Amino acid sequence: MSKKIKNLKKISLVILIAGYLAAGANHFYNPQSYYRIIPAYIPYPIIANVLAGVFEIAFALMLISPKTRKIASWGIILMLGAFLPVHISMIINAPVNLGSLTVTPAIAWVRLLLQPVLMFWAWWHSKS
């Protein structure tokens, strides 16, 4: 692997870690926004939100060590797959107000289509 790709991968990893730490923390900082988007058929939305936040933070921390990075990467991929019903529900129910943000149908579609990109990004780091 070239030095340029190695540097890009390091920067990418830092961004990925920071993103999942921030996303996980947001589940505790702004839980009401998440309660609104958890589909009604998912029981115990408060617990589901807490678990999502805990797993996002845990996987972010696990990405730091090369010894746990592969497990974290695959955990993120599975977690993003588990979040797909939320994104589909957002498309169905759009527009959805999340605090000061209104998720329009277009934004909901972008969020759904972003999931495979995020999965690929996590997978890329499973190889390091």
Side-chain angles (χ1 to χ4, degrees):
M1 185 181 322
S2 74
K3 186 174 179 171
K4 199 174 201 179
I5 296 294
K6 283 183 182 180
N7 287 337
L8 175 65
K9 199 162 189 177
K10 285 180 186 178
I11 293 166
S12 167
L13 181 62
V14 169
I15 294 168
L16 192 64
I17 292 167
Y20 280 103
L21 284 173
N26 196 48
H27 282 268
F28 301 101
Y29 178 73
N30 194 6
Q32 290 298 326
S33 292
Y34 294 96
Y35 302 153
R36 291 186 193 135
I37 63 173
I38 296 172
Y41 59 83
I42 296 177
Y44 311 108
I46 293 172
I47 294 171
N49 177 61
V50 168
L51 287 173
V54 166
F55 278 109
E56 286 181 332
I57 291 168
F59 291 144
L61 294 174
M62 290 172 67
L63 285 171
I64 295 169
S65 171
K67 291 181 180 181
T68 55
R69 192 168 298 147
K70 186 173 188 171
I71 294 167
S73 296
W74 283 103
I76 289 169
I77 292 165
L78 292 172
M79 180 180 65
L80 291 171
F83 291 169
L84 287 175
V86 172
H87 293 288
I88 292 167
S89 177
M90 288 179 74
I91 290 169
I92 294 166
N93 297 316
V96 178
N97 291 320
L98 303 178
S100 62
L101 174 69
T102 299
V103 178
T104 64
I107 292 171
W109 274 105
V110 168
R111 287 177 54 104
L112 177 66
L113 296 174
L114 188 59
Q115 297 309 296
V117 174
L118 294 173
M119 289 173 168
F120 177 79
W121 189 3
W123 173 82
W124 190 44
H125 287 289
S126 73
K127 303 287 183 199
S128 51

